């Protein structure tokens, strides 16, 4: 059985199968709805039901409060229709965004690499024509026996659609990341759905770009920066500030050093927050937002900033950027949330109206 969903103010309609989330159905029909985490934690995909009823599914009570439910709001990534629906959604037009229909893929693990003691590089060879995506987007990864797919950002630039690279951090006690780090083998079959997300470079904007990343949050900036430099030949100033705790957790370091040597407009600033004598570290010591502040002298005006990493890092970066005269319209974020993140501060930023 299927139902019809109409989105206002677009006036567009699309079918939704019984039990299918609204977001999944919209994206598969080429209709974009704002979204981020994809599993009910962040609240980005919040819409209002003006006619009809939904099952709210596994929406976090922090991302969707009881008062909002009473007002008819739901999270499109979790909500499933109980009949025909009419919904209202805030959809901002973005001239640099590509709307690529969501698709399902099958593939096999082509390579596994220990990038750090806690982050594994996973390369997947896809069957068929492969995945078309925009640098900065993510996919949902699954395999037989996994209760539900997990979201991971793409670390490779668009180019070879049949190869996908993911940087996956081990979450203690995590069902999915535990399997990936301890039991996944080259040749194992996996499934993907994508592309997803709205984290992408505003290429039409002429301002210099600042990327700040922490932990496995380096995956999206890597994809975006390689896409800008090696595919687009971008000549604007691009700065990457990457924060890790110690030298063992600083990955792709040599690659970015070489990239900075090849492209004079690319600047790479690594920072270690907990360097030990064994690190033999001569670079910046401190957090990523401190490194960015020192590098720019506390003045970020005239930049576009892209932040990717765990929620505490994102919040610290936003505070530094705003203190340095860069504001919400020029700051874009991708928070790395795990299934255990049910903290309202992790899901929403108190500094941004839109988050």
């Amino acid at each position: 059985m299927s139902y019809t969903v109409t989105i206002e103010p677009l006036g567009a309609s699309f079918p939704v199968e019984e039990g299918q989330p609204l977001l999944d159905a919209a994206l598969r029909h080429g209709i974009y709805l704002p979204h981020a985490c994809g599993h009910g934690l962040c609240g980005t995909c919040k819409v209002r039901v003006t006619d009809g009823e939904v099952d709210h599914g596994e929406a976090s009570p922090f991302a969707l409060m009881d008062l909002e439910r009473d007002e008819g709001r739901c999270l499109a990534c979790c909500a499933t229709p109980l009949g025909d629906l009419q919904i209202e959604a805030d959809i901002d037009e973005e001239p640099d965004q590509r709307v690529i229909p969501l698709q399902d893929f099958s593939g096999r693990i082509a390579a596994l690499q220990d990038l750090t003691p806690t982050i594994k590089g996973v390369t997947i060879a896809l069957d068929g024509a492969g995945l078309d995506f925009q640098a900065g987007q993510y996919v949902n990864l699954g395999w037989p026996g996994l209760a539900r797919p997990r979201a991971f950002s793409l670390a490779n630039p668009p180019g070879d659609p049949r190869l996908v690279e993911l940087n996956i951090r081990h979450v203690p006690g995590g069902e999915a990341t535990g399997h990936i780090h301890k039991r996944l083998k080259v040749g194992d079959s996996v499934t993907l759905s994508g592309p997803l997300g709205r984290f992408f470079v505003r290429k039409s904007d002429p301002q210099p770009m600042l990327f700040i990343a922490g932990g496995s949050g380096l995956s999206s900036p890597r994809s975006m920066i390689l896409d800008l430099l090696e595919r687009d030949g971008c000549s604007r100033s691009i700065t990457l500030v990457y924060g890790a705790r110690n030298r063992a957790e600083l990955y792709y370091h040599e690659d970015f050093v070489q990239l900075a040597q090849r492209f004079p407009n690319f600047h790479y600033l690594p920072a270690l927050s907990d360097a030990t004598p064994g690190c033999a570290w001569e670079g910046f010591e401190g957090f990523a937002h401190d490194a960015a502040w020192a590098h720019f002298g506390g003045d970020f005006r005239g930049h576009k900033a892209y932040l990717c990493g765990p929620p505490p890092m994102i919040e610290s970066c936003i505070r530094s950027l705003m203190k340095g005269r860069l504001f919400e319209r020029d700051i874009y974020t991708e928070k790395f949330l795990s299934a255990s993140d049910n903290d309202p501060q992790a899901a929403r930023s108190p500094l941004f109206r839109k988050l």
Side-chain angles (χ1 to χ4, degrees), residues 18 24 53 97 243:
E18 186 174 11
D24 183 80
E53 295 183 2
Q97 182 184 19

Side-chain angles (χ1 to χ4, degrees), residues 177-192:
T177 63
H179 175 85
I180 290 167
H181 277 256
K182 298 176 183 178
R183 294 181 291 279
L184 192 67
K185 303 183 300 296
V186 171
D188 283 358
S189 297
V190 294
T191 58
L192 284 181

Side-chain angles (χ1 to χ4, degrees), residues 21-332:
L22 301 178
L23 177 63
D24 183 80
L27 295 177
R28 290 182 186 277
H29 287 87
I31 298 174
Y32 179 80
L33 289 177
H35 60 280
C37 76
H39 43 83
L41 296 177
C42 70
T44 304
C45 64
K46 194 175 298 176
V47 299
R48 188 168 76 92
V49 178
T50 58
D51 188 26
E53 295 183 2
V54 299
D55 182 333
H56 289 285
E58 297 181 357
S60 162
F62 298 119
L64 185 70
M65 295 180 288
D66 289 341
L67 176 62
E68 294 176 305
R69 297 173 193 238
D70 294 341
E71 293 174 345
R73 301 189 185 279
C74 68
L75 301 185
C77 69
C78 298
T80 56
L82 299 177
D84 292 344
L85 294 177
Q86 180 171 301
I87 64 175
E88 288 183 350
D90 293 327
I91 305 175
D92 296 328
E93 290 189 7
E94 289 276 6
D96 294 297
Q97 182 184 19
R98 297 179 58 206
V99 178
I100 307 170
L102 176 68
Q103 297 184 65
D104 297 320
F105 303 89
S106 61
R108 293 186 179 276
I109 301 300
L112 295 168
Q113 180 185 6
D114 290 329
L115 297 172
T116 78
T118 59
I119 299 174
K120 189 175 287 289
V122 179
T123 302
I124 301 168
L126 298 178
D127 300 328
L131 172 69
D132 182 21
F133 69 95
Q134 193 166 7
Q137 291 189 293
Y138 69 90
V139 295
N140 283 331
L141 175 67
W143 53 85
L146 182 66
R148 62 174 176 81
R150 299 298 199 272
F152 299 108
S153 291
L154 292 151
N156 57 301
D160 185 347
R162 295 191 62 188
L163 280 181
V164 164
E165 295 178 34
L166 309 174
N167 300 162
I168 300 177
R169 179 179 66 89
H170 181 232
V171 178
E175 174 194 6
T177 63
H179 175 85
I180 290 167
H181 277 256
K182 298 176 183 178
R183 294 181 291 279
L184 192 67
K185 303 183 300 296
V186 171
D188 283 358
S189 297
V190 294
T191 58
L192 284 181
S193 60
L196 293 155
R198 207 183 195 191
F199 191 56
F200 60 91
V201 176
R202 275 63 180 178
K203 294 183 178 181
S204 64
D205 192 293
Q207 297 181 93
M209 289 170 279
L210 168 61
F211 294 86
I212 309 179
S216 60
L218 183 59
S219 52
S220 290
R222 178 179 187 256
S223 175
M224 299 157 95
I225 290 168
L226 291 177
D227 185 47
L228 286 165
L229 293 176
E230 298 187 335
R231 280 170 45 92
D232 293 350
C234 177
S235 59
R236 277 177 287 157
S237 176
I238 301 171
T239 302
L240 168 64
V241 182
Y242 176 57
R245 285 188 298 178
N246 53 57
R247 183 62 185 86
E249 295 184 353
L250 190 68
Y251 71 107
Y252 292 139
H253 176 68
E254 289 77 14
D255 292 348
F256 284 119
V257 169
Q258 293 175 12
L259 204 64
Q261 294 171 348
R262 288 174 53 202
F263 297 94
N265 61 312
F266 174 62
H267 313 284
Y268 171 52
L269 179 60
L272 299 185
S273 62
D274 193 19
T276 65
C279 293
W281 182 246
E282 297 180 355
F284 187 91
E285 293 190 28
F287 293 106
H289 63 278
D290 295 324
W293 183 272
H295 181 75
F296 287 96
D299 187 351
F300 300 104
R301 288 175 294 180
H303 285 78
K304 286 284 185 184
Y306 300 87
L307 316 178
C308 193
M313 186 220 93
I314 297 290
E315 292 301 310
S316 296
C317 289
I318 290 174
R319 288 186 175 91
S320 289
L321 292 173
M322 295 181 73
K323 184 178 177 182
R325 307 292 293 169
L326 195 69
F327 301 108
E328 183 175 353
R329 67 182 182 183
D330 292 318
I331 302 174
Y332 306 95

